[in-house]
Amino acid sequence: MRPMTLTARALPLQDRALPVRDANAGGGDDASPFGALPEWDLTDLYAAPDAPEMKRDLDWLEEACRSFAEDYEGKLADLGAEAFLDCVKRNERIDAIAGRIMSYAGLRYYQLTTAGDRVKFMSDMQDRITTFTTPLVFFTLELNRLPDDHLDGLFAENAELARYKPVFDRIRAMKPYQLSDELEKFLHDLGVVGDAWQKLFDETMAGLSFYVDGDEMGIESILTLFQDHDRDTREAAAREVARVMADNLRTFARVHNTQAKEKEVIDRWRGMPNAQTGRHLSNHVEPEVVEALRNAVVNAYPRLSHRYYELKRKWLGLDRMQVWDRNAPLPGGDQRAIGWEEAQETVLSAYAGFSPRMAEIAQPFFDKGWIDAAVKPGKAPGAFAHPTVTEVHPYVMLNYLGKPRDVMTLAHELGHGVHQVLAAGQGEMLSSTPLTLAETASVFGEMLTFRALLAKAETQAERKTMLAAKVEDMINTVVRQIAFYDFECKLHEARRGGELTPEDINAIWMSVQAESLGPAFDFMDGYETYWAYVPHFVHSPFYVYAYAFGDSLVNALYAVYEDQPAGFQDKYFDMLKAGGSKHHKELLAPFGLDATDPAFWDKGLSMIEGFIDELEAMEN
């Protein structure tokens, strides 16, 4: 998932509730200036909501959950190694079927979030699967009551069972925060209520209309105007976003207040020390590693964003930067719309330049209906790659508008797709990568595409434009996302003290924006509401630091690739194939990297500094 200009879509893998268009829907718009854009073909999941295979799988799932609980509840401690392996495999199969159903329901929904039948179908599937799987809550609870030496003995006895140890380690990391069996089942059932607030956010956002120069558009289209060459157009778009956000601010404040309070209550009952703890546990990353990353980035604000935006202010010929200038293209930059075929060729050729195998894995996404690219009314904003289940394949969603950043978004999401295809061999329980590592392949795919394009630059002016665009993307990925993380930390901490008014949340937002963007900027009235449309805050609290983690990690990886290219591709593919089967320390060791070393983050940030150094040198 990519941090778009100001927004991104984060979809928790465990929810499996994602978007799609019916297989028999019409094709892309041949009249589009970008060429015919692809749409999803979901038949590899199900042919239709009422397909017989859907009923078959729902019936199977209900019985499989019932019999699993009947066969194993209260008995895990008595299982031998072989019987325990059978138990794990049955659990894994349940996960695969439930994931397949929710992937189909979710993808249909996100492709047209305003369609009542799709909303109902997804909600119904969530309700049914939650009901079916409630009896399975005992599994992790009983697993966490087993002594360490008991599990170690089972692993020593059966090598195939031992392969699942990383899954058990992540489950058992929650052991200190586990509640009673009854309360855990209650929270499992109550999860659909929390999901309803996410759907309210999605449906409200998808239903918003914005008007610029008499044209009506959705959130994705108006955000694209922030990159328009005409400053008056950018200003009009920025003020219109502020107007619409202000008109809907009570709804968005209610969503954030409710979700933050729900999280505070659950965290308090679990005894978690702060709101971020759950995310760190799910990411399998130590809190001190995240804190080191956060501090390194914040300390680098003057060397990164402050310095770059001062350069950009001069390039634009402005006395002061306004928020609508942040993503403005440089004077003289390429204004043409980039066609879909050109975007495809650009990314695939860059991938092939790194390794033909990488391009071969990516090619079916274009050929087999695994990408949905067009911007349509009611479609969810942003972009993502959803892995579905390991026996099918991922699906990529874009909102393609022919901008250079859209090409980079394609490279980013295809990187996720390649990663997910390679990790599928680990199976359902081990393929899912923690968010901190899930961004590795996506950001690496962007870097490959950027480097390939930069190598073709024929003039210094062209090179300058490309370097500046890359620096802006990296600042959006690192600086902006850490500012988002600080915003969330402050918001959740403040919510513990009571209800937050929209003005309270606005003030928290502004407290991190000036610090991260720097002294070159003025902030228009209304910018304080821009927190309202960032979906990560609603769908996946504290997801955002994963982008900065991934970008800095990739910068360090790419430096290793440049210094020691021999054998790098094989090590890189081995890392992706590992999925969630290894800790980040183990994955990075073959490259001589260690994310627990505070100096690691400075190494990643130094690449951004180097690009800014080159841009400054061009001014002399």
Coordinates of all heavy atoms in Angstrom, one line a residue, residues 33-117:
P33 N -7.9 9.2 -21.8 CA -6.7 9.7 -22.4 C -5.5 8.8 -22.0 O -4.4 8.9 -22.6 CB -6.5 11.0 -21.7 CG -7.3 11.0 -20.5 CD -8.4 10.1 -20.8
F34 N -5.7 7.8 -21.1 CA -4.6 6.9 -20.7 C -4.7 5.6 -21.4 O -3.9 4.7 -21.2 CB -4.6 6.7 -19.2 CG -5.0 7.9 -18.4 CD1 -6.1 7.8 -17.6 CD2 -4.3 9.1 -18.5 CE1 -6.5 8.9 -16.9 CE2 -4.7 10.2 -17.8 CZ -5.8 10.1 -17.0
G35 N -5.7 5.4 -22.3 CA -5.9 4.1 -22.9 C -6.9 3.3 -22.1 O -7.4 3.7 -21.0
A36 N -7.3 2.1 -22.6 CA -8.2 1.2 -21.9 C -7.5 0.8 -20.6 O -6.4 0.2 -20.6 CB -8.5 0.0 -22.7
L37 N -8.2 1.0 -19.5 CA -7.7 0.6 -18.2 C -8.3 -0.7 -17.7 O -9.5 -0.9 -17.9 CB -8.0 1.7 -17.1 CG -7.3 3.1 -17.4 CD1 -7.7 4.1 -16.4 CD2 -5.8 2.9 -17.4
P38 N -7.5 -1.5 -17.1 CA -8.0 -2.9 -16.7 C -8.9 -2.8 -15.5 O -8.8 -1.9 -14.6 CB -6.7 -3.6 -16.3 CG -5.7 -2.5 -15.9 CD -6.1 -1.3 -16.7
E39 N -9.7 -3.9 -15.4 CA -10.6 -4.1 -14.3 C -10.4 -5.5 -13.7 O -10.0 -6.4 -14.4 CB -12.1 -3.9 -14.6 CG -12.4 -2.4 -15.0 CD -13.9 -2.2 -15.2 OE1 -14.6 -3.2 -15.5 OE2 -14.4 -1.1 -15.1
W40 N -10.8 -5.6 -12.5 CA -10.6 -6.9 -11.8 C -11.5 -8.0 -12.5 O -12.7 -7.7 -12.8 CB -11.0 -6.9 -10.4 CG -9.9 -6.4 -9.5 CD1 -8.6 -6.6 -9.6 CD2 -10.1 -5.5 -8.3 NE1 -7.9 -5.9 -8.6 CE2 -8.9 -5.3 -7.8 CE3 -11.3 -5.0 -7.7 CZ2 -8.7 -4.5 -6.6 CZ3 -11.1 -4.2 -6.6 CH2 -9.8 -4.0 -6.0
D41 N -11.0 -9.2 -12.6 CA -11.8 -10.4 -12.8 C -11.7 -11.3 -11.6 O -10.6 -11.8 -11.3 CB -11.2 -11.2 -14.0 CG -11.9 -12.5 -14.3 OD1 -12.8 -12.8 -13.5 OD2 -11.6 -13.1 -15.3
L42 N -12.7 -11.3 -10.8 CA -12.7 -12.0 -9.5 C -13.1 -13.5 -9.6 O -13.2 -14.1 -8.5 CB -13.7 -11.3 -8.6 CG -13.3 -9.9 -8.2 CD1 -14.3 -9.3 -7.2 CD2 -11.9 -9.8 -7.7
T43 N -13.2 -14.0 -10.8 CA -13.7 -15.4 -10.9 C -12.7 -16.4 -10.3 O -13.1 -17.5 -10.0 CB -14.0 -15.7 -12.4 OG1 -12.8 -15.5 -13.1 CG2 -15.2 -14.9 -12.9
D44 N -11.5 -16.0 -10.1 CA -10.5 -17.0 -9.4 C -10.9 -17.1 -8.0 O -10.5 -18.1 -7.3 CB -9.1 -16.5 -9.6 CG -8.6 -16.6 -11.0 OD1 -9.1 -17.4 -11.8 OD2 -7.6 -15.9 -11.3
L45 N -11.7 -16.2 -7.4 CA -12.2 -16.3 -6.1 C -13.6 -17.0 -6.1 O -13.8 -18.1 -5.6 CB -12.3 -14.9 -5.4 CG -10.9 -14.3 -5.1 CD1 -11.1 -12.8 -4.7 CD2 -10.2 -15.0 -4.0
Y46 N -14.6 -16.2 -6.7 CA -15.9 -16.8 -6.9 C -16.5 -16.1 -8.2 O -16.2 -14.9 -8.5 CB -16.8 -16.5 -5.7 CG -16.4 -17.2 -4.4 CD1 -15.7 -16.5 -3.5 CD2 -16.7 -18.5 -4.2 CE1 -15.2 -17.1 -2.3 CE2 -16.2 -19.2 -3.1 CZ -15.5 -18.5 -2.1 OH -15.1 -19.1 -1.0
A47 N -17.4 -16.8 -8.8 CA -18.0 -16.3 -10.1 C -19.0 -15.2 -9.7 O -19.2 -14.3 -10.6 CB -18.6 -17.4 -10.9
A48 N -19.7 -15.3 -8.6 CA -20.7 -14.3 -8.2 C -21.1 -14.5 -6.8 O -20.7 -15.6 -6.2 CB -22.0 -14.6 -9.1
P49 N -21.7 -13.5 -6.1 CA -22.1 -13.7 -4.7 C -23.0 -14.9 -4.5 O -22.9 -15.5 -3.4 CB -22.8 -12.4 -4.4 CG -22.3 -11.4 -5.4 CD -22.0 -12.2 -6.6
D50 N -23.8 -15.3 -5.5 CA -24.7 -16.4 -5.3 C -24.2 -17.7 -6.0 O -24.9 -18.6 -6.2 CB -26.1 -16.1 -5.8 CG -26.1 -15.7 -7.3 OD1 -25.0 -15.6 -7.9 OD2 -27.2 -15.5 -7.8
A51 N -22.9 -17.7 -6.3 CA -22.3 -18.9 -6.9 C -22.4 -20.1 -6.0 O -22.3 -20.0 -4.8 CB -20.8 -18.6 -7.3
P52 N -22.7 -21.3 -6.6 CA -22.8 -22.5 -5.7 C -21.5 -22.7 -4.9 O -21.6 -23.3 -3.8 CB -23.0 -23.6 -6.7 CG -22.7 -23.1 -8.1 CD -22.9 -21.6 -8.0
E53 N -20.4 -22.3 -5.4 CA -19.1 -22.5 -4.6 C -19.1 -21.7 -3.4 O -18.5 -22.1 -2.4 CB -17.9 -22.2 -5.5 CG -17.7 -23.1 -6.7 CD -18.6 -22.8 -7.9 OE1 -19.3 -21.8 -7.8 OE2 -18.5 -23.6 -8.9
M54 N -19.8 -20.5 -3.4 CA -19.8 -19.7 -2.2 C -20.7 -20.4 -1.1 O -20.3 -20.4 0.0 CB -20.5 -18.3 -2.6 CG -20.7 -17.4 -1.4 SD -19.2 -16.8 -0.6 CE -18.6 -15.6 -1.8
K55 N -21.8 -20.9 -1.5 CA -22.6 -21.6 -0.5 C -21.9 -22.8 0.0 O -21.9 -23.1 1.2 CB -24.0 -22.0 -1.2 CG -24.9 -22.8 -0.2 CD -26.2 -23.2 -0.8 CE -27.2 -23.7 0.2 NZ -26.6 -24.8 1.0
R56 N -21.2 -23.5 -0.9 CA -20.5 -24.7 -0.5 C -19.4 -24.4 0.5 O -19.3 -25.0 1.6 CB -19.8 -25.3 -1.7 CG -18.8 -26.5 -1.4 CD -17.8 -26.7 -2.6 NE -16.9 -25.5 -2.6 CZ -16.1 -25.3 -3.7 NH1 -16.2 -26.0 -4.8 NH2 -15.3 -24.2 -3.6
D57 N -18.7 -23.3 0.3 CA -17.6 -22.9 1.2 C -18.2 -22.4 2.6 O -17.6 -22.6 3.6 CB -16.7 -21.8 0.6 CG -15.8 -22.5 -0.5 OD1 -15.8 -23.7 -0.6 OD2 -15.1 -21.7 -1.1
L58 N -19.3 -21.6 2.5 CA -19.9 -21.2 3.8 C -20.4 -22.4 4.6 O -20.2 -22.4 5.8 CB -21.0 -20.2 3.5 CG -20.7 -18.8 3.0 CD1 -21.9 -18.1 2.5 CD2 -20.1 -18.0 4.2
D59 N -21.0 -23.3 3.9 CA -21.5 -24.5 4.7 C -20.3 -25.3 5.3 O -20.4 -25.7 6.4 CB -22.3 -25.4 3.7 CG -23.6 -24.8 3.3 OD1 -24.1 -23.8 4.0 OD2 -24.3 -25.3 2.4
W60 N -19.3 -25.4 4.4 CA -18.1 -26.2 4.9 C -17.5 -25.4 6.1 O -17.1 -26.1 7.1 CB -17.0 -26.3 3.8 CG -15.8 -27.0 4.2 CD1 -15.5 -28.3 4.1 CD2 -14.6 -26.4 4.9 NE1 -14.3 -28.6 4.7 CE2 -13.7 -27.5 5.2 CE3 -14.3 -25.1 5.3 CZ2 -12.5 -27.3 5.8 CZ3 -13.1 -24.9 5.9 CH2 -12.2 -26.0 6.1
L61 N -17.4 -24.1 6.0 CA -16.7 -23.3 7.1 C -17.5 -23.5 8.4 O -16.9 -23.6 9.5 CB -16.6 -21.9 6.6 CG -15.9 -20.9 7.6 CD1 -14.4 -21.3 7.7 CD2 -16.0 -19.5 7.1
E62 N -18.8 -23.4 8.3 CA -19.6 -23.5 9.6 C -19.3 -24.8 10.2 O -19.1 -24.9 11.5 CB -21.1 -23.3 9.2 CG -22.0 -23.4 10.4 CD -23.4 -23.1 10.1 OE1 -23.8 -23.3 8.9 OE2 -24.2 -22.7 11.0
E63 N -19.4 -25.9 9.4 CA -19.1 -27.2 10.0 C -17.7 -27.4 10.5 O -17.4 -28.0 11.5 CB -19.5 -28.3 9.0 CG -19.1 -29.7 9.4 CD -19.8 -30.2 10.7 OE1 -20.8 -29.7 11.1 OE2 -19.2 -31.1 11.3
A64 N -16.7 -26.9 9.7 CA -15.3 -27.1 10.1 C -15.0 -26.4 11.4 O -14.3 -26.9 12.2 CB -14.4 -26.5 9.0
C65 N -15.6 -25.2 11.6 CA -15.4 -24.5 12.9 C -16.0 -25.2 14.0 O -15.4 -25.3 15.1 CB -15.9 -23.0 12.8 SG -15.0 -22.0 11.6
R66 N -17.2 -25.7 13.8 CA -17.9 -26.5 14.9 C -17.1 -27.7 15.3 O -16.9 -28.0 16.5 CB -19.3 -26.8 14.4 CG -20.1 -27.5 15.5 CD -21.3 -28.3 14.9 NE -20.8 -29.4 14.1 CZ -20.2 -30.5 14.6 NH1 -20.1 -30.7 15.9 NH2 -19.8 -31.5 13.7
S67 N -16.7 -28.5 14.3 CA -16.0 -29.7 14.6 C -14.6 -29.5 15.1 O -14.1 -30.3 16.0 CB -15.9 -30.6 13.3 OG -15.2 -30.0 12.3
F68 N -14.0 -28.4 14.7 CA -12.6 -28.1 15.2 C -12.7 -27.8 16.7 O -11.9 -28.4 17.5 CB -12.1 -26.9 14.5 CG -10.7 -26.5 14.9 CD1 -9.6 -27.0 14.2 CD2 -10.4 -25.6 16.0 CE1 -8.3 -26.7 14.6 CE2 -9.1 -25.3 16.4 CZ -8.1 -25.8 15.7
A69 N -13.7 -27.0 17.1 CA -13.9 -26.7 18.6 C -14.2 -28.0 19.3 O -13.7 -28.2 20.5 CB -14.9 -25.7 18.7
E70 N -15.1 -28.8 18.7 CA -15.5 -30.0 19.4 C -14.3 -31.0 19.6 O -14.2 -31.6 20.7 CB -16.6 -30.7 18.6 CG -17.2 -32.0 19.2 CD -18.3 -32.6 18.3 OE1 -19.4 -32.1 18.3 OE2 -18.0 -33.6 17.6
D71 N -13.4 -31.0 18.6 CA -12.3 -32.0 18.7 C -11.2 -31.5 19.5 O -10.4 -32.4 20.1 CB -11.8 -32.2 17.3 CG -12.8 -33.0 16.4 OD1 -13.7 -33.6 16.9 OD2 -12.6 -33.0 15.1
Y72 N -11.0 -30.2 19.7 CA -9.8 -29.7 20.3 C -9.9 -28.8 21.6 O -9.0 -28.7 22.3 CB -8.9 -28.9 19.3 CG -8.4 -29.8 18.1 CD1 -8.9 -29.6 16.8 CD2 -7.5 -30.8 18.4 CE1 -8.5 -30.4 15.8 CE2 -7.1 -31.6 17.3 CZ -7.5 -31.4 16.0 OH -7.1 -32.1 15.0
E73 N -11.1 -28.3 21.8 CA -11.2 -27.4 22.9 C -11.0 -28.1 24.2 O -11.6 -29.2 24.5 CB -12.6 -26.7 22.9 CG -12.7 -25.6 24.0 CD -13.9 -24.7 23.9 OE1 -14.8 -25.1 23.1 OE2 -14.0 -23.7 24.6
G74 N -10.1 -27.6 25.0 CA -9.7 -28.2 26.3 C -8.8 -29.4 26.2 O -8.5 -30.0 27.2
K75 N -8.3 -29.6 25.0 CA -7.5 -30.8 24.8 C -6.1 -30.6 24.2 O -5.3 -31.5 23.9 CB -8.2 -31.8 23.8 CG -9.6 -32.2 24.3 CD -10.4 -32.9 23.2 CE -11.9 -33.1 23.6 NZ -12.7 -33.7 22.5
L76 N -5.7 -29.3 23.9 CA -4.4 -29.0 23.3 C -3.3 -29.6 24.1 O -2.3 -30.1 23.5 CB -4.3 -27.5 23.1 CG -5.1 -26.8 22.0 CD1 -4.6 -25.4 21.8 CD2 -5.1 -27.6 20.7
A77 N -3.3 -29.5 25.4 CA -2.2 -29.9 26.2 C -2.0 -31.4 26.2 O -0.9 -31.9 26.5 CB -2.5 -29.5 27.7
D78 N -3.0 -32.1 25.7 CA -2.9 -33.6 25.6 C -2.4 -34.1 24.3 O -2.2 -35.3 24.1 CB -4.2 -34.3 26.0 CG -4.7 -33.9 27.4 OD1 -3.8 -33.7 28.3 OD2 -5.9 -33.7 27.6
L79 N -2.3 -33.2 23.3 CA -1.9 -33.6 21.9 C -0.5 -33.9 21.8 O 0.4 -33.2 22.3 CB -2.3 -32.6 20.9 CG -3.8 -32.2 20.8 CD1 -4.0 -31.1 19.8 CD2 -4.7 -33.4 20.4
G80 N -0.2 -35.0 21.1 CA 1.2 -35.3 20.7 C 1.6 -34.5 19.5 O 0.8 -33.7 18.9
A81 N 2.8 -34.6 19.1 CA 3.3 -33.7 18.0 C 2.5 -33.9 16.7 O 2.2 -32.9 16.0 CB 4.8 -33.9 17.8
E82 N 2.3 -35.1 16.3 CA 1.6 -35.4 15.0 C 0.2 -34.9 15.1 O -0.4 -34.3 14.2 CB 1.6 -36.9 14.7 CG 1.1 -37.1 13.3 CD 1.3 -38.6 12.9 OE1 2.2 -39.3 13.5 OE2 0.7 -39.0 11.9
A83 N -0.5 -35.1 16.2 CA -1.9 -34.7 16.4 C -2.0 -33.2 16.4 O -2.9 -32.5 15.9 CB -2.5 -35.3 17.6
F84 N -1.0 -32.5 17.0 CA -0.9 -31.1 17.1 C -0.7 -30.5 15.7 O -1.3 -29.5 15.3 CB 0.2 -30.6 18.0 CG 0.0 -29.2 18.6 CD1 -0.5 -29.1 19.9 CD2 0.2 -28.1 17.8 CE1 -0.7 -27.8 20.4 CE2 0.0 -26.8 18.4 CZ -0.4 -26.7 19.7
L85 N 0.1 -31.1 14.9 CA 0.3 -30.7 13.5 C -1.0 -30.8 12.7 O -1.4 -29.9 12.0 CB 1.3 -31.5 12.8 CG 1.6 -31.2 11.3 CD1 2.1 -29.8 11.2 CD2 2.6 -32.2 10.8
D86 N -1.8 -31.9 12.9 CA -3.1 -32.0 12.3 C -4.0 -30.9 12.7 O -4.7 -30.3 11.9 CB -3.7 -33.3 12.6 CG -3.0 -34.5 11.9 OD1 -2.3 -34.3 10.9 OD2 -3.2 -35.6 12.4
C87 N -4.0 -30.5 14.0 CA -4.8 -29.4 14.5 C -4.4 -28.1 13.8 O -5.3 -27.4 13.4 CB -4.6 -29.3 16.0 SG -5.3 -27.9 16.8
V88 N -3.1 -27.9 13.7 CA -2.7 -26.6 13.0 C -3.1 -26.5 11.6 O -3.5 -25.5 11.1 CB -1.1 -26.5 13.2 CG1 -0.6 -25.3 12.3 CG2 -0.7 -26.3 14.6
K89 N -3.0 -27.7 10.9 CA -3.3 -27.7 9.5 C -4.8 -27.5 9.3 O -5.3 -26.8 8.3 CB -2.9 -29.0 8.8 CG -1.4 -29.1 8.6 CD -1.0 -30.3 7.9 CE 0.5 -30.3 7.6 NZ 0.9 -31.6 6.8
R90 N -5.7 -28.0 10.2 CA -7.1 -27.8 10.1 C -7.4 -26.3 10.3 O -8.2 -25.7 9.6 CB -7.8 -28.7 11.1 CG -7.9 -30.1 10.6 CD -8.6 -31.0 11.7 NE -10.0 -30.6 12.0 CZ -10.7 -31.3 12.9 NH1 -10.2 -32.3 13.5 NH2 -12.0 -30.9 13.1
N91 N -6.7 -25.7 11.3 CA -6.9 -24.3 11.5 C -6.5 -23.5 10.3 O -7.1 -22.5 10.0 CB -6.1 -23.9 12.8 CG -6.2 -22.4 13.1 OD1 -7.2 -22.0 13.6 ND2 -5.2 -21.6 12.8
E92 N -5.4 -23.9 9.7 CA -4.9 -23.1 8.5 C -5.9 -23.2 7.4 O -6.1 -22.3 6.6 CB -3.6 -23.7 8.1 CG -2.8 -22.9 7.1 CD -1.4 -23.3 6.9 OE1 -1.1 -24.5 7.0 OE2 -0.5 -22.4 6.7
R93 N -6.5 -24.4 7.2 CA -7.5 -24.5 6.1 C -8.8 -23.7 6.4 O -9.3 -23.1 5.5 CB -7.9 -26.0 6.0 CG -8.9 -26.3 4.8 CD -8.2 -25.9 3.5 NE -9.1 -26.0 2.4 CZ -8.9 -25.4 1.2 NH1 -7.8 -24.7 1.0 NH2 -9.7 -25.6 0.2
I94 N -9.2 -23.6 7.6 CA -10.3 -22.7 8.0 C -9.9 -21.3 7.7 O -10.8 -20.5 7.1 CB -10.6 -22.9 9.5 CG1 -11.3 -24.2 9.8 CG2 -11.5 -21.7 10.0 CD1 -11.5 -24.6 11.2
D95 N -8.7 -20.9 8.0 CA -8.3 -19.5 7.7 C -8.3 -19.2 6.2 O -8.7 -18.1 5.8 CB -6.9 -19.3 8.2 CG -6.4 -17.9 8.2 OD1 -7.2 -17.0 8.4 OD2 -5.2 -17.6 8.0
A96 N -7.9 -20.2 5.4 CA -7.9 -20.1 3.9 C -9.3 -19.9 3.4 O -9.5 -19.0 2.5 CB -7.2 -21.3 3.3
I97 N -10.3 -20.7 3.8 CA -11.6 -20.6 3.3 C -12.3 -19.3 3.7 O -12.9 -18.5 2.9 CB -12.5 -21.8 3.7 CG1 -11.9 -23.1 3.1 CG2 -13.9 -21.6 3.3 CD1 -11.8 -23.1 1.6
A98 N -12.1 -18.9 5.0 CA -12.7 -17.6 5.5 C -12.0 -16.5 4.8 O -12.7 -15.5 4.4 CB -12.5 -17.5 7.0
G99 N -10.7 -16.5 4.5 CA -10.0 -15.5 3.8 C -10.5 -15.4 2.4 O -10.6 -14.2 1.9
R100 N -10.8 -16.5 1.7 CA -11.2 -16.4 0.4 C -12.6 -15.7 0.3 O -12.8 -14.9 -0.6 CB -11.3 -17.8 -0.2 CG -11.6 -17.9 -1.7 CD -11.8 -19.4 -2.1 NE -11.7 -19.5 -3.6 CZ -10.7 -20.2 -4.2 NH1 -9.8 -20.8 -3.5 NH2 -10.7 -20.2 -5.5
I101 N -13.5 -16.1 1.2 CA -14.8 -15.5 1.2 C -14.7 -13.9 1.4 O -15.3 -13.1 0.7 CB -15.7 -16.1 2.2 CG1 -16.0 -17.6 1.9 CG2 -17.0 -15.4 2.4 CD1 -16.6 -18.4 3.0
M102 N -14.0 -13.5 2.5 CA -13.9 -12.1 2.8 C -13.1 -11.3 1.8 O -13.4 -10.1 1.6 CB -13.3 -11.9 4.2 CG -14.3 -12.3 5.3 SD -16.0 -11.7 5.1 CE -15.7 -9.9 4.9
S103 N -12.1 -12.0 1.1 CA -11.4 -11.3 0.0 C -12.4 -10.9 -1.1 O -12.4 -9.8 -1.6 CB -10.3 -12.1 -0.5 OG -9.3 -12.3 0.5
Y104 N -13.2 -11.8 -1.5 CA -14.2 -11.6 -2.5 C -15.2 -10.5 -2.1 O -15.4 -9.6 -2.9 CB -14.9 -12.9 -2.9 CG -16.0 -12.7 -4.0 CD1 -15.6 -12.5 -5.3 CD2 -17.3 -12.7 -3.6 CE1 -16.6 -12.4 -6.3 CE2 -18.3 -12.5 -4.6 CZ -17.9 -12.3 -5.9 OH -18.9 -12.2 -6.9
A105 N -15.7 -10.7 -0.9 CA -16.7 -9.7 -0.5 C -16.1 -8.3 -0.4 O -16.7 -7.3 -0.7 CB -17.3 -10.1 0.9
G106 N -14.9 -8.2 0.2 CA -14.3 -7.0 0.4 C -13.9 -6.3 -0.9 O -14.0 -5.1 -1.1
L107 N -13.3 -7.0 -1.8 CA -12.9 -6.5 -3.1 C -14.1 -5.9 -3.9 O -14.0 -4.8 -4.5 CB -12.1 -7.5 -3.9 CG -10.8 -7.9 -3.4 CD1 -10.2 -9.1 -4.1 CD2 -9.8 -6.7 -3.5
R108 N -15.2 -6.6 -3.9 CA -16.4 -6.1 -4.5 C -16.9 -4.8 -3.9 O -17.2 -3.9 -4.6 CB -17.6 -7.1 -4.4 CG -17.6 -8.3 -5.4 CD -18.8 -9.1 -5.2 NE -20.0 -8.5 -6.0 CZ -21.1 -8.1 -5.4 NH1 -21.2 -8.1 -4.1 NH2 -22.1 -7.6 -6.2
Y109 N -16.8 -4.8 -2.6 CA -17.2 -3.6 -1.9 C -16.4 -2.4 -2.2 O -16.9 -1.3 -2.5 CB -17.2 -3.9 -0.4 CG -17.3 -2.6 0.5 CD1 -18.6 -1.9 0.6 CD2 -16.2 -2.1 1.2 CE1 -18.7 -0.8 1.4 CE2 -16.3 -1.0 2.0 CZ -17.6 -0.3 2.1 OH -17.7 0.8 2.8
Y110 N -15.1 -2.5 -2.1 CA -14.2 -1.4 -2.3 C -14.2 -0.8 -3.7 O -13.9 0.3 -4.0 CB -12.8 -1.7 -1.8 CG -12.6 -1.5 -0.4 CD1 -12.4 -2.7 0.4 CD2 -12.7 -0.3 0.3 CE1 -12.3 -2.5 1.8 CE2 -12.6 -0.2 1.6 CZ -12.4 -1.3 2.4 OH -12.3 -1.2 3.8
Q111 N -14.6 -1.7 -4.7 CA -14.7 -1.2 -6.0 C -15.9 -0.3 -6.2 O -15.9 0.5 -7.1 CB -14.7 -2.3 -7.0 CG -14.3 -1.9 -8.4 CD -14.4 -3.0 -9.4 OE1 -15.2 -3.9 -9.3 NE2 -13.5 -3.0 -10.4
L112 N -16.9 -0.5 -5.4 CA -18.1 0.4 -5.5 C -18.8 0.5 -4.1 O -19.7 -0.2 -3.8 CB -19.1 -0.2 -6.5 CG -20.3 0.7 -7.0 CD1 -19.8 2.0 -7.5 CD2 -21.1 0.0 -8.0
T113 N -18.2 1.3 -3.3 CA -18.6 1.3 -1.9 C -20.0 1.9 -1.7 O -20.5 1.8 -0.6 CB -17.6 2.2 -1.0 OG1 -17.6 3.5 -1.5 CG2 -16.2 1.6 -1.2
T114 N -20.5 2.5 -2.7 CA -21.9 3.2 -2.6 C -23.0 2.2 -3.0 O -24.2 2.6 -3.0 CB -21.9 4.5 -3.4 OG1 -21.5 4.2 -4.7 CG2 -21.0 5.5 -2.8
A115 N -22.7 1.0 -3.5 CA -23.7 0.1 -3.9 C -24.3 -0.7 -2.7 O -23.6 -1.4 -2.0 CB -23.1 -0.9 -4.9
G116 N -25.6 -0.5 -2.5 CA -26.2 -1.2 -1.4 C -26.1 -2.7 -1.3 O -25.9 -3.2 -0.2
D117 N -26.1 -3.3 -2.5 CA -26.0 -4.8 -2.5 C -24.6 -5.2 -2.1 O -24.5 -6.3 -1.4 CB -26.4 -5.4 -3.8 CG -25.5 -4.9 -4.9 OD1 -25.0 -3.7 -4.9 OD2 -25.2 -5.7 -5.9

